[in-house]
Structure formats: C-alpha cells, structure tokens
Amino acid sequence: MRTVAGFYRDCQEAVGPQPPLEVLLADAIGCVLAEDVQAPFDLPVADLAGCDGYAVRTGDLEGASADNPIELNVTAELHAGDVDPMATIKNGAVRIASGAPIPTGANAVVALEHTDLGEAKVQVTREVVEAENIRPRAQDVRAGDVVIKRGTRVSSRQIALIAGVGRNRVLVHPRPRVVIISIGDEIVEPGQPARPGSVFDANGHALATAVADAGAQTFRVAAVPDERATLRQTIEDQLVRADLIVTTGGISYGSGDTVREVLGLLGTVRFDSVAAWPGHVLGVGKVGDGTPIFCLPGDPVSAQVGFEVYVRPAVRAMQGWSQLNRPTVHARVDSGWYSPKGRREFVRVRLSGEPRGGYRATVQGTPTALLLSALANSNALAVVPEDVTDVQPGDTLACMILD
C-alpha cells in the first residue's frame, strides 16, 4: 500500500514547471515570472514636478506668507512630456504641470493653492523648502535594478511596474491547460432529465472550477461512457491541448478495469491503494508523448479530497509556485469518531475562531459518510494521522484551510 506522502511525491515527479514562454503583458496576469525583470533606465528619468504649480528657486521666496506675498515673473510653462531645455531666472517662476521635468535652476515647486494662479506674474503666499513637491530622478528605480524577481506571481501591480520600465512582453511559466474527463455510463449532464441509475456530473464541474481557482486553464469534456474505444479516442483527442489530464471514475476494482486497460495502451500509469480515506485507489502516470495524467475516484467527495491533497499542489508546481500546499492551522474538534487504522483520514470540518483564542473545528456530517452537503458546508479538512484511531472531542488536529 502506498503512503500519502509517497503518492504525493509520485504526483510531483509526474509534472514539472511549464517551459518558460514570452507573453504579452495582458497574458501574464496570474502567471509566475521565469526571469528577473530589470529596469533599463531610471524611473523617473529626470527630476519631475510632484504636483501642478510653479517651479521656483527657494531663495526667492524667503519670508513669503499670506500677509507678505512675494511676486515672481512667470517666464514659461512646462507640461508633462516636455523635453526642451529650460531654466529659471532670479525672481522668476515657470508654470509647471505634475509630471513635467524640473527646469534648470529651480529646486522646488510651489503648489497652486499657495499662489494667486497668475499667468504673467504670480504671487506666492508661503515659503518652500528645497526639493518640495519634486520627484527626484531614480526615486522609484535605478537603471540596472532588478525590479521584480523571478518566481513572483504577476498581478496588476507588477504589470504597472513592468510596463513602467518599458516592457511589453515578459517571460513566464504559462498557465497549464488541464483537461477534466468524467468517466461512467451512469453520468449525465446537470440540467438533463434524471433517470433511474443516473448520476449528475458533479465531478466535472467541481474539478474544472477547482483547477481554475488554482490558476490553470480548464477544459471540461462531456462525460465519457465506460466503453473502451470511446474512452481511448477521447483521451487521444485531448492530448493535443492538454498539459495535464485529470480523470474521475472507472478505477475501482469492481469497474472492469476500463480505465486501467485503456491507459495501459496509451502510456504508463500506476494505480495504487493509498493509505488514505477517502480516496484510497488512485492513479498517476503519463500518456501519449509524456502528458501527465491523474486518475481520481468517481465519488465526488473522494475526488475533491484527492484533488486538494495531490492534484492542486501539482498544478501549482506546473506554474512555478514555491508554495504548493494549502495553509494549515491547528484546531480542537467538537466531536469524536473512529478513524481507520493505518490510513490518513481527511475529515470535512468548518473552522471558527481566531489566532489568539484558538480555532475550533466543527465536523460536518459523519466522517464515514461521504456527503456532498457536508463538503459544501466545510471550509477545511481535518487531518487524522495514520497511527490515530480514536479521536476524542477536544483533540487538536491539523486542518487544511480550503477557503
């Protein structure tokens, strides 16, 4: 029997970071940088006005106040983007817009609200200090600086800086394309009429959204019957667009081994009994030209638990993440139960509390019953170690936070 840790390693070894790809900035959102981004120039590239006002020499305004305004000659006007050389003269001022370059000789900007807004001459009603309202050259970044490090996840904030230093493309680990395939004769699409023996495709929809939440691109395939030729054709068709395939269903020992037989023809996939509950039969391997594939149980709760424990960390690894697993906290459980000997159990719980006062984990449903309603009401999975069989009320367990 494979341990949880051993199967986790198998899943990690089956994947790897997506090969770096240079993409436009709009396509980099949510991706992890595969390069250090360096600034090719100073930012700002020159001393700039920090507000609308007048560029002045501080010495010309000594003693200025509301009761003693000092009048200066307005010699020119500068706008943001102007590059023509310009200089201030003694007792002179240059009308300047926010973001415009500071003229030679000026060492401060007096804001408009401290002036009479004059055009030919301006009266200033307060003193200013050197560098007031000036954004100095290279205040933000210097040429050659690494402004964003490799391994950073790109959000709109990073896009602003990358664009600000003149880059329109960047090297990233692209989001993997993950194909979800639900397998079983009994599966029907939600919205279709129910019939005796049918099961709505909870797994396909749940896993597709879980994969998207993990940052990958999702392609959900309509449920595939257990018929071998159809299943093989479906998997072969998806290989052209899949960086990872995730299947659910068709792997239990009583299923006729449909999935095992088909995957045996398409690649090398190992199926194990894993020392876990729920989800004790799982598969991992590669098909086609090396596309990794994970095979999860058909039970929706088991499939979701398997995704959280094994698949989600692998999807994050494919994106270049360093933090792969869900965060955990320790919490006191509100009830007791028997946990299967030799298996690591993942129990659906709802966490409450806060760090200072501690956390409480309220068990949802019955641990042995795999209820979708209990899973929907949960925000964490309480983890019972393999060597614990008797969980008592008030015991403290590590809990994987799902929300």
Side-chain angles (χ1 to χ4, degrees):
M1 182 176 289
R2 199 85 170 119
T3 65
V4 170
F7 191 79
Y8 179 95
R9 286 194 299 271
D10 292 344
C11 293
Q12 289 292 316
E13 290 171 1
V15 300
Q18 292 285 86
L21 179 68
E22 190 175 60
V23 299
L24 293 170
L25 294 188
D27 297 322
I29 287 291
C31 296
V32 173
L33 282 175
E35 65 167 326
D36 291 335
V37 176
Q38 289 185 293
F41 47 75
D42 293 338
L43 191 66
V45 296
D47 293 345
L48 303 179
C51 66
D52 293 335
Y54 296 84
V56 297
R57 300 167 181 259
T58 55
D60 293 338
L61 294 177
E62 291 181 1
S65 67
D67 296 328
N68 182 41
I70 291 179
E71 187 173 81
L72 302 175
N73 296 313
V74 179
T75 59
E77 185 171 1
L78 279 172
H79 302 282
D82 285 346
V83 294
D84 293 336
M86 188 172 292
T88 54
I89 61 174
K90 184 175 178 57
N91 296 321
V94 173
R95 181 73 178 258
I96 195 166
S98 178
I102 300 298
T104 303
N107 61 0
V109 173
V110 58
L112 291 177
E113 56 262 34
H114 302 301
T115 73
D116 66 352
L117 308 180
E119 295 183 0
K121 294 181 180 296
V122 61
Q123 290 194 344
V124 182
T125 59
R126 56 157 288 190
E127 294 181 336
V128 289
V129 298
E130 186 173 349
E132 184 171 341
N133 295 323
I134 290 179
R135 295 176 56 206
R137 177 174 181 165
Q139 179 187 41
D140 203 340
V141 297
R142 291 189 178 278
D145 283 353
V146 174
V147 295
I148 308 178
K149 292 183 178 181
R150 175 186 302 145
T152 301
R153 183 175 184 268
V154 179
S155 72
S156 59
R157 299 184 302 279
Q158 285 75 42
I159 290 293
L161 181 52
I162 296 169
V165 298
R167 296 279 298 273
N168 71 333
R169 304 178 73 91
V170 69
L171 199 65
V172 299
H173 296 290
R175 290 187 293 274
R177 299 163 298 175
V178 181
V179 173
I180 308 296
I181 305 175
S182 299
I183 301 168
D185 295 332
E186 75 282 8
I187 300 174
V188 297
E189 184 68 15
Q192 298 296 314
R195 63 175 187 268
S198 66
V199 175
F200 290 114
D201 187 15
N203 282 343
H205 289 276
L207 292 176
T209 52
V211 167
D213 183 62
Q217 299 181 66
T218 303
F219 301 94
R220 187 180 72 86
V221 178
V224 181
D226 292 313
E227 199 272 321
R228 290 167 175 76
T230 303
L231 177 57
R232 177 175 179 172
Q233 186 63 56
T234 299
I235 294 175
E236 288 179 331
D237 289 346
Q238 297 304 315
L239 289 174
V240 297
R241 67 173 176 179
D243 296 311
L244 170 67
I245 295 175
V246 179
T247 70
T248 68
I251 61 174
S252 65
Y253 292 110
S255 68
D257 292 338
T258 301
V259 174
R260 301 165 193 257
E261 181 179 325
V262 169
L263 294 182
L265 299 172
L266 295 176
T268 303
V269 181
R270 172 177 171 172
F271 290 88
D272 286 295
S273 291
V274 180
W277 175 259
H280 60 284
V281 179
L282 300 162
V284 61
K286 295 189 177 182
V287 291
D289 292 329
T291 301
I293 186 168
F294 298 145
C295 302
L296 299 176
D299 173 76
V301 175
S302 299
Q304 284 284 287
V305 170
F307 177 86
E308 290 293 339
V309 177
Y310 311 109
V311 182
R312 186 177 188 274
V315 171
R316 288 171 67 87
M318 295 177 76
Q319 297 172 81
W321 286 87
S322 57
Q323 180 61 44
L324 304 181
N325 301 312
R326 293 282 196 181
T328 62
V329 298
H330 286 82
R332 298 184 305 276
V333 295
D334 70 324
S335 60
W337 66 90
Y338 171 80
S339 185
K341 184 178 181 179
R343 295 186 183 275
R344 188 178 302 183
E345 186 180 22
F346 299 89
V347 177
R348 285 68 61 205
V349 298
R350 186 160 193 85
L351 289 179
S352 59
E354 41 81 27
R356 181 175 298 181
Y359 293 96
R360 179 179 177 84
T362 303
V363 176
Q364 302 299 298
T366 304
T368 55
L370 304 181
L371 307 177
L372 276 177
S373 57
L375 179 65
N377 289 329
S378 302
N379 60 8
L381 296 174
V383 183
V384 184
E386 290 87 341
D387 59 351
V388 174
T389 58
D390 188 20
V391 180
Q392 295 292 323
D395 284 355
T396 298
L397 295 176
C399 297
M400 296 171 52
I401 300 173
L402 302 179
D403 291 341

